[in-house]
Amino acid sequence: MRESSALPSLRLAPQQLHQACDPAQFAFATTAELEPMDELIGQLRAFEAVRFGAGIRHEGFNIFALGPPGVGKRSMVSQMLSRQARSEPAAADWCYVNNFDHPHKPQAMRLPSGRGTDLQQQLAQRVAYLRSAIPALFEGEDYRAKAEAIGQAFTTRQESAFKELGEAAGQQHIVLLRTPSGFAFAPTRDDEVMAPDEYEKLPEDEKQRIAGAIAELQKQLEKILHHIPQWMKERGEQLKQLNRETTGAVVTQVVDELRSRFHDLPQTSRYLDQLQHDMIENADDFRHEDETANLSGLTVVNRKTFHRYQVNVLVSNGEHAGAPIVSEDNPTYGNLIGRLEHIAQLGALVTDFTLIKPGALHRANGGYLLLDVRKVLMQPFAWDALKRALQTREIRIESLGQMVSLVSTVSLEPEPMPLDVKIVLFGDRLFYYLLQQYDPDFAELFKVAADFEDRIERSPETHQLYARLMATLCAKEQLLPLDRLAVARVIEHSARLVGDAQRLSTHMRSVADLLQEADFWAREAGLAAITENNVQQAIDAQIHRQDRLRAQLHEAILRETLLIDTQGAVVGQINGLSVLQLGDFAFAQPTRITATTRLGTGEMVNIEREVKLSGAIHSKGVLILSSYLAARYARNQPLALSASLVFEQSYGQIDGDSASLAELCALLSHLANVSLLQSLAVTGSVNQLGQVQAIGAVNEKIEGFFDICVARGLTGEQGVLIPQANVKHLMLRRDVLAAARAGQFHLYAVAHVDQAMTLLTGVPAGEAGAGGQYPADSINRRVATRVAELGALRKGFAKPPEETKQNNRRK
């Protein structure tokens, strides 16, 4: 390889490529010897935020737990809230009961924990007793005698009135007749009704007397008939009063038992007063439970179910100590706020207060409600309903159809229930910041942000904690324990997951998945503990399941469908490294980048941008290159060149600035007419000063080029140039380490584009002297000379030819 002896060695030592975890630091044989952990490691900031949010009771201090999925947000919050909830008083029971004055507005009733179910059961038992006891009272001899006496008194009164009228008529030789059509008067002779022909033979004065008498008697009859409805009403009132007296004793006795049982609850006592009054007033419902009706020839039996005497217990907390913790996985509008159900009766949908169903807010009232913010936002009206409940501090059950005015049927209007709940939302940081920006109510309702870390600092102390964490996961999932070597391998893999040798991942789901797969391979091999080989087998299997596309792209390179050189040297051509992310799997592949330069006006043509395949960050990187060239090589003259940059055989979107170092090296190569080694790949971004800056996915990029080189055969000259700032992120695969130790593959850390050009060309980049001149035969001297030549050419084209000047003078 061409490498300047004047340049300090930038080659990284093999020990810099991977920070191993020493298993000797662990004093245990397997993780079975370790005590499980009660909380997550490295989440002190989030822990304090959740503790504060759970403890403060002022309005609006609800919690938003933000962070990537899989870091254990929900499990940690649930554990903390469970400890907090055990020390808090049990939440109240909430019930709906009938409103006897306004049945369409059921009453909400709050009872101490467990008392709601007790009231429901006790009242149901009393109603069942009354349904048998009251009919028995009405069938008793005492009631029958009193009812018959009332009826007899009415009959006697009525008969006495007609008897007196009949006697008065008899004195005037007139008889009172009862006919099917009513009452009538007729004259008599010798106590016999006078025939019509005999009546016609009477003298006129006698006829007039009889007619006058009948008219007077008719008036008296009308008075009697006018009083009969009043007498019947009085009889009905007397019978009703008798029914009240008959049922009053047993109802009062039953209700008094309930009053005694719930004497400490004033609201319940008031309800029982209303209940007692309604039972007494509607005693006939207990006597005649079945009613029949004829609908189009069909006899329908309607059985009274005494719904209005039931207690609809929405929430009962008698079986749970402390405050409730509710997690709603499907936070629809109805599942959050509650809903009104309907039943079909004779082709119509009907409802009553017993069909009111609770929502998550009811179940969590007095405690904590855990929700996934993404799921809430996806459900129509759910987010607005949640905010409205928190703002008004009450739960108002409304039909969704009525709320949006889609239906106009008569429905219930349940009394709102007071709300005292602590909401915990879980979601990505994106949701938190978007809601902060675009929802004005969000900041007032969710004042506590619990931000979970996705990585922690790597140290011997965290290694020990990580081992305990693995022991906890194994105990929780009933997995085999890990030996020390396996623990060390998991820790190394954790650092690789975050792409940083000095950090460890807090993504517990990934660690748990890895342990479960390693447990599978260990059990398949009949082992008593998970070994390092099992962990590595699980890692390899995870990659193998997802690397189909990577294999196809590598195959295309090896078959020279995609053109990538790993040997030789070419002017204006370089191997860049691009990363593809497919779900949780990321891999890299080399990409050929070419550059051309020519006389121009300082225009830097980004071909990807021209065809709208360049992202904003990549376009920014190309503009930085133009600024760098002008500032370094054309300070005192126009930059008289045009350049073109392109990712060859790239047919998709390109973004990011990690290829800007490679692009700059290709441009400088073409300007200086110096070939670049194709055995080296380059990654890194540059600024306007030529300094090389860190990039992401450095491990994947190195391994992507390494795999192609291995497939073609390592020559000992191949390698990758990376930013010096990325050295601390290196956690390379073991096969890459083995090749580096054997001198078959090399990594170089560069801090400036000059160092990269020296490595890629074998020609010193050169530093400007006191007069601003670069050393002869240096890269920078060649570039500066070429830029000056292009500037002179541009001036020449700008001046008119000499002949043209002479002709102009003659004219």
Side-chain angles (χ1 to χ4, degrees):
M1 175 186 291
R2 297 173 294 175
E3 184 172 335
S4 174
S5 58
L7 185 70
S9 176
L10 300 175
R11 184 182 300 174
L12 296 177
Q15 60 268 23
Q16 294 177 277
L17 309 185
H18 181 95
Q19 185 173 327
C21 178
D22 185 6
Q25 64 185 297
F26 302 119
F28 56 85
T30 69
T31 54
E33 304 173 19
L34 302 177
E35 294 184 5
M37 299 179 64
D38 296 331
E39 58 192 42
L40 296 178
I41 60 175
Q43 302 292 358
L44 181 60
R45 179 188 291 106
F47 179 86
E48 292 176 347
V50 173
R51 185 176 62 84
F52 166 76
I56 190 170
R57 288 301 169 186
H58 294 289
E59 185 176 352
F61 284 87
N62 296 295
I63 303 170
F64 193 111
L66 60 151
V71 298
K73 300 189 298 293
R74 187 176 289 268
S75 60
M76 192 191 90
V77 171
S78 298
Q79 290 176 5
M80 291 186 62
L81 294 183
S82 296
R83 292 194 294 266
Q84 175 86 6
R86 284 195 291 268
S87 62
E88 296 178 0
D93 288 358
W94 284 97
C95 314
Y96 271 114
V97 295
N98 185 36
N99 186 337
F100 296 102
D101 296 328
H102 305 285
H104 70 288
K105 295 182 177 180
Q107 301 180 46
M109 185 180 295
R110 182 182 187 276
L111 295 93
S113 179
R115 303 290 294 279
T117 303
D118 187 28
L119 176 62
Q120 181 189 53
Q121 295 173 350
Q122 294 296 327
L123 186 55
Q125 293 174 6
R126 274 25 177 222
V127 171
Y129 167 72
L130 291 175
R131 291 176 66 176
S132 59
I134 290 178
L137 288 175
F138 283 100
E139 293 174 1
E141 293 296 332
D142 182 57
Y143 173 80
R144 289 186 177 182
K146 292 179 180 179
E148 289 175 0
I150 293 173
Q152 186 62 39
F154 169 77
T155 303
T156 301
R157 186 175 185 181
Q158 181 176 314
E159 293 297 331
S160 175
F162 285 117
K163 182 179 180 182
E164 291 177 2
L165 180 62
E167 291 174 352
Q171 293 176 0
Q172 302 184 50
H173 302 287
I174 297 173
V175 65
L176 175 64
L177 300 175
R178 297 189 181 187
T179 66
S181 59
F183 293 94
F185 291 99
T188 63
R189 175 179 289 175
D190 299 330
D191 296 331
E192 294 291 335
V193 176
M194 190 180 295
D197 55 346
E198 293 181 6
Y199 177 76
E200 293 297 332
K201 296 177 181 180
L202 293 175
E204 287 297 325
D205 56 346
E206 182 65 16
K207 289 181 180 179
Q208 292 178 2
R209 183 193 68 77
I210 291 174
I214 289 176
E216 184 64 29
L217 291 171
Q218 189 69 35
K219 292 180 180 179
Q220 296 180 24
L221 175 62
E222 290 177 357
K223 289 182 180 180
I224 294 173
L225 294 176
H226 179 74
H227 283 91
I228 286 177
Q230 181 65 29
W231 296 341
M232 293 180 66
K233 181 179 179 181
E234 292 176 359
R235 183 188 67 170
E237 291 294 336
Q238 292 175 9
L239 284 173
K240 199 168 185 178
Q241 181 61 31
L242 176 61
N243 291 345
R244 290 194 193 98
E245 294 174 355
T246 303
T247 59
V250 62
V251 169
T252 301
Q253 178 186 356
V254 168
V255 175
D256 283 346
E257 293 176 0
L258 290 175
R259 284 197 188 94
S260 176
R261 191 179 185 93
F262 298 94
H263 68 279
D264 56 330
L265 305 175
Q267 187 181 12
T268 305
S269 297
R270 289 192 295 271
Y271 166 70
L272 292 176
D273 292 340
Q274 298 171 356
L275 175 77
Q276 177 180 343
H277 177 75
D278 188 81
M279 283 183 169
I280 293 174
E281 290 296 321
N282 298 280
D284 283 346
D285 289 349
F286 291 92
R287 297 176 60 192
H288 311 292
E289 295 188 12
D290 296 345
E291 295 180 356
T292 60
N294 194 307
L295 298 176
S296 302
L298 179 65
T299 300
V300 179
V301 179
N302 182 26
R303 303 184 185 277
K304 292 183 173 63
T305 57
F306 300 93
H307 277 175
R308 64 180 184 275
Y309 301 135
Q310 293 182 9
V311 175
N312 182 6
V313 181
L314 259 68
V315 180
S316 177
N317 295 291
E319 299 178 358
H320 307 284
I325 301 175
V326 176
S327 179
E328 178 55 60
D329 188 58
N330 184 28
T332 63
Y333 176 87
N335 288 348
L336 277 179
I337 308 300
R339 63 189 182 277
L340 293 171
E341 293 187 346
H342 295 75
I343 57 175
Q345 287 186 355
L346 303 178
L349 294 176
V350 298
T351 186
D352 58 45
F353 75 95
T354 63
L355 296 176
I356 300 174
K357 301 301 179 183
L361 287 172
H362 294 94
R363 299 195 303 272
N365 203 2
Y368 306 90
L369 176 59
L370 280 56
L371 298 170
D372 186 313
V373 67
R374 184 183 64 86
K375 294 179 180 179
V376 176
L377 293 172
M378 288 177 62
Q379 297 295 336
F381 307 103
W383 177 247
D384 288 335
L386 178 64
K387 291 195 301 179
R388 184 166 55 250
L390 293 176
Q391 289 167 339
T392 60
R393 299 183 68 82
E394 65 179 21
I395 313 171
R396 184 181 296 273
I397 299 178
E398 293 178 308
S399 168
L400 193 56
Q402 283 186 314
M403 188 182 74
V404 296
S405 301
L406 292 177
V407 296
S408 58
T409 57
V410 176
S411 187
L412 298 182
E413 299 177 17
E415 180 183 359
M417 288 185 176
L419 177 64
D420 177 21
V421 69
K422 184 75 68 174
I423 304 292
V424 183
L425 290 180
F426 298 91
D428 292 341
R429 296 184 178 94
L430 177 64
F431 286 110
Y432 178 80
Y433 295 117
L434 286 176
L435 289 170
Q436 281 276 10
Q437 181 70 24
Y438 295 108
D439 191 335
D441 300 324
F442 179 75
E444 294 297 323
L445 297 175
F446 294 88
K447 299 180 180 180
V448 181
D451 197 349
F452 282 74
E453 299 283 355
D454 51 6
R455 61 184 65 192
I456 59 174
E457 185 177 357
R458 182 177 175 184
S459 66
E461 292 75 17
T462 54
H463 285 179
Q464 300 294 334
L465 291 174
Y466 224 79
R468 287 186 59 193
L469 177 63
M470 285 181 245
T472 305
L473 292 174
C474 289
K476 180 180 178 181
E477 303 295 336
Q478 297 182 346
L479 307 177
L480 295 175
L482 287 79
D483 64 21
R484 289 183 293 178
L485 292 174
V487 170
R489 185 66 189 94
V490 172
I491 290 175
E492 293 173 0
H493 182 67
S494 177
R496 172 58 186 262
L497 288 177
V498 295
D500 193 332
Q502 300 174 4
R503 297 291 183 268
L504 294 177
S505 172
T506 60
H507 197 269
M508 294 300 101
R509 187 172 64 195
S510 297
V511 177
D513 291 346
L514 179 62
L515 295 184
Q516 289 170 347
E517 292 194 37
D519 174 80
F520 171 81
W521 297 115
R523 292 181 186 274
E524 193 172 73
L527 303 176
I530 298 173
T531 66
E532 179 185 19
N533 290 335
N534 300 138
V535 175
Q536 187 61 51
Q537 191 174 6
I539 294 172
D540 295 340
Q542 287 179 346
I543 295 173
H544 181 67
R545 289 194 296 268
Q546 303 180 76
D547 71 345
R548 180 187 61 84
L549 183 58
R550 181 181 69 171
Q552 290 183 350
L553 291 174
H554 286 184
E555 180 186 1
I557 293 173
L558 296 176
R559 296 177 64 188
E560 297 186 357
T561 304
L562 295 178
L563 301 179
I564 298 293
D565 292 334
T566 56
Q567 296 183 28
V570 182
V571 173
Q573 176 179 302
I574 195 170
N575 290 325
L577 296 169
S578 58
V579 174
L580 284 78
Q581 184 79 38
L582 300 177
D584 295 333
F585 179 60
F587 66 93
Q589 67 166 10
T591 302
R592 175 176 290 181
I593 300 173
T594 60
T596 60
T597 61
R598 58 200 172 277
L599 179 64
T601 58
E603 181 184 8
M604 186 75 67
V605 178
N606 176 10
I607 294 178
E608 310 296 336
R609 184 180 66 179
E610 296 301 319
V611 295
K612 296 182 173 53
L613 289 178
S614 175
I617 298 177
H618 178 251
S619 298
K620 174 186 175 183
V622 174
L623 292 175
I624 290 175
L625 303 186
S626 177
S627 175
Y628 170 79
L629 290 175
R632 188 166 193 185
Y633 302 109
R635 287 186 179 183
N636 302 317
Q637 61 182 357
L639 185 62
L641 68 85
S642 290
S644 298
L645 286 167
V646 68
F647 280 70
E648 303 290 355
Q649 293 183 292
S650 171
Y651 308 105
Q653 190 77 16
I654 293 176
D655 203 1
D657 62 351
S658 63
S660 58
L661 174 61
E663 292 171 324
L664 180 55
C665 290
L667 281 172
L668 296 176
S669 167
H670 198 274
L671 286 169
N673 196 27
V674 178
S675 59
L676 299 175
L677 289 174
Q678 302 301 296
S679 58
L680 296 177
V682 179
T683 183
S685 71
V686 294
N687 59 22
Q688 293 186 110
L689 304 177
Q691 296 169 333
V692 181
Q693 303 168 136
I695 45 84
V698 64
N699 293 293
E700 289 80 0
K701 291 176 178 178
I702 294 170
E703 292 166 355
F705 188 66
F706 173 80
D707 290 337
I708 298 299
C709 293
V710 168
R712 287 182 170 173
L714 294 176
T715 64
E717 295 186 353
Q718 294 141 336
V720 178
L721 277 64
I722 66 171
Q724 197 174 73
N726 280 120
V727 174
K728 56 181 175 292
H729 301 140
L730 294 177
M731 285 294 295
L732 293 171
R733 295 191 320 237
R734 296 188 175 185
D735 56 344
V736 182
L737 294 180
R741 291 192 183 101
Q744 295 296 306
F745 195 78
H746 311 284
L747 265 77
Y748 302 90
V750 296
H752 195 275
V753 65
D754 287 348
Q755 296 174 333
M757 286 300 295
T758 301
L759 285 170
L760 290 165
T761 64
V763 178
E767 296 183 6
Q773 291 293 323
Y774 294 100
D777 293 329
S778 65
I779 296 292
N780 289 327
R781 179 65 173 270
R782 295 184 183 185
V783 173
T785 300
R786 178 57 177 165
V787 170
E789 290 175 355
L790 293 173
L793 287 173
R794 182 176 177 184
K795 286 182 179 181
F797 281 115
K799 293 180 180 180
E802 189 66 27
E803 294 81 2
T804 304
K805 292 182 181 180
Q806 293 176 359
N807 292 334
N808 289 337
R809 284 196 294 268
R810 292 193 189 100
K811 292 180 181 179

